[in-house]
Amino acid sequence: MKKALTLGIETSCDETSVSLVNEGRVLSNVVSSSVHLHKKYGGVVPEIASRFHVEYILEVLSRALEGAGKGLGDIGLVAVTNGPGLVGALLTGISLAKSLSYSLDLPLIGVNHVFAHLYSAFLNDEKPRFPFVGLAISGGHTALLYCEDVDRYKLLGQTQDDAVGEAYDKVAKILGLGYPGGPVIEKMAARSKNRNNRLFPKSFMGENSLDFSFSGVKTAVLYYVRGKGQGSRVQGRVKRKMAKDEISDVCYSFQEAVLDMVVEKAFQAAEMKGVKDIVLGGGVTANSRLREKFYDMARFYHNRSVHFPDFQYCLDNAAMVAALGRRLYAKGYRSDLFLSAKPNLEVS
Ligand code: KG4
Ligand code: ZN
């Protein structure tokens, strides 16, 4: 009997992750993040991320095997993210995957990172059903897809400028709140006591467009904040002029504008395609206010159901890579030792 155990490897950005998944059940999912090293730069530094992967990947692999109580001999398939992502970072995971595949004589499969995010909700007990509208929202991607099957995706809309997570990160930088921006903005926004005063408008991309734009609201925050003198540097130190309450109000208004755009487009896409399920994936899905808005809207449209990944699978992780890899393998997909840092299964 062929071994059902899949080893997943993820190194597309700043998380080094290895996971063992057996028939849809996650036995281990070890994630080591270099986020602390990027903090002072206000964003991911590709060279630092790449070096971190090289340094930690074998330790992460050992811990994943140990956590699952398995050895290399138990593995039946190696799945690895091969894009999109930072090329230098991706190559570490791909090299490890190829080495294991070659030395242990195991089949290898390259997995698209964006589709893997959308597949994270398939790790839930209640699985989404194809076809569905998929919304990938992370630091690098914002895309609405019509997903007909595990290997058939059509692009419905995407951001014309910043990704949602990127907008969070940039606004946090403007406000001097540090990196990554998503969690801290969510926390500050929840403290706002001034929720009726919407400070920033939503971008309008045209009635039937499913594209997004977040740079307008980000720039509106910049000018608002500059008007208050916040974030200006005096002798190298950030000078704060806005009170904490005021910063919370800015975070709240920014977050409402951005999330409303995302929710509206996702439901509009489901309506246009006549599908029941909306599936979300990517780092921004860790946001509780986003979830609240989607569930509220789903209650309004009775015939829609919304699927979020479990919180532990929102950010980059190898479990989603292993799970999708196994599903593609079952469909007959294979990679070979020429696998490069380029995503396969491009959207049409
Ligand atoms: O999926 P991910 O780990 O990496 C990419 O594939 O890009 O997503 C990271 C992004 C960052 O931009 C981060 O600010 C955002 O996800 N993020 C959040 C939250 N947690 C992480 N955005 C909004 N709210 C959150 N709670
Ligand atoms: Zn990601």
Side-chain angles (χ1 to χ4, degrees), residues 210-244:
L210 293 174
D211 284 335
F212 305 89
S213 169
F214 302 105
S215 69
V217 60
K218 174 197 70 187
T219 309
V221 172
L222 177 70
Y223 283 119
Y224 181 88
V225 162
R226 266 197 197 159
K228 304 269 175 184
Q230 171 79 359
S232 49
R233 285 187 175 268
V234 176
Q235 288 173 348
R237 297 180 66 182
V238 176
K239 201 173 135 199
R240 288 218 168 155
K241 292 215 174 133
M242 285 168 73
K244 218 171 172 181

Side-chain angles (χ1 to χ4, degrees), residues 55-290:
E55 209 173 323
Y56 289 96
I57 190 103
L58 292 179
E59 174 73 23
V60 171
L61 169 67
S62 302
R63 289 195 191 189
L65 287 165
E66 208 179 287
K70 301 285 180 189
L72 288 175
D74 298 316
I75 301 167
L77 171 70
V78 180
V80 61
T81 301
N82 72 319
L86 304 169
V87 175
L90 286 163
L91 287 175
T92 305
I94 294 171
S95 303
L96 175 64
K98 285 182 185 174
S99 313
L100 292 170
S101 162
Y102 181 69
S103 58
L104 301 168
D105 196 20
L106 290 173
L108 172 71
I109 183 135
V111 172
N112 179 306
H113 182 76
V114 176
F115 302 154
H117 269 308
L118 289 179
Y119 203 73
S120 350
F122 283 81
L123 294 168
N124 298 343
D125 291 338
E126 198 190 316
K127 317 263 181 242
R129 264 191 256 156
F130 291 101
F132 59 77
V133 161
L135 177 62
I137 37 177
S138 66
H141 311 278
T142 300
L144 256 178
L145 302 155
Y146 178 59
C147 309
E148 290 180 274
D149 200 345
V150 72
D151 56 349
R152 293 216 312 274
Y153 307 85
K154 282 203 174 79
L155 186 65
L156 301 175
Q158 61 187 328
T159 182
Q160 298 299 305
D161 36 61
D162 295 337
V164 188
E166 189 182 356
Y168 267 92
D169 295 336
K170 288 179 176 170
V171 163
K173 196 169 179 180
I174 291 167
L175 292 168
L177 295 175
Y179 175 84
V184 63
I185 288 186
E186 177 179 6
K187 213 160 129 195
M188 293 295 283
R191 287 197 196 131
S192 169
K193 294 183 193 79
N194 186 12
R195 301 187 173 201
N196 295 323
N197 189 9
R198 295 288 180 100
L199 302 170
F200 314 112
K202 295 185 278 182
S203 307
F204 182 67
M205 302 295 288
E207 201 95 324
N208 294 316
S209 168
L210 293 174
D211 284 335
F212 305 89
S213 169
F214 302 105
S215 69
V217 60
K218 174 197 70 187
T219 309
V221 172
L222 177 70
Y223 283 119
Y224 181 88
V225 162
R226 266 197 197 159
K228 304 269 175 184
Q230 171 79 359
S232 49
R233 285 187 175 268
V234 176
Q235 288 173 348
R237 297 180 66 182
V238 176
K239 201 173 135 199
R240 288 218 168 155
K241 292 215 174 133
M242 285 168 73
K244 218 171 172 181
D245 283 354
E246 220 176 342
I247 295 178
S248 293
D249 295 343
V250 170
C251 290
Y252 180 80
S253 277
F254 161 76
Q255 176 164 271
E256 291 299 298
V258 163
L259 298 186
D260 281 347
M261 285 189 256
V262 166
V263 178
E264 281 162 21
K265 294 282 176 202
F267 279 85
Q268 192 182 337
E271 195 75 21
M272 281 163 79
K273 300 306 290 182
V275 298
K276 184 175 173 291
D277 289 17
I278 299 176
V279 179
L280 291 101
V284 182
T285 60
N287 188 292
S288 300
R289 181 72 178 135
L290 172 87

Side-chain angles (χ1 to χ4, degrees), residues 12 113 117 138 282-283 315-316 320:
S12 69
H113 182 76
H117 269 308
S138 66
L315 296 172
D316 290 347
M320 64 184 190

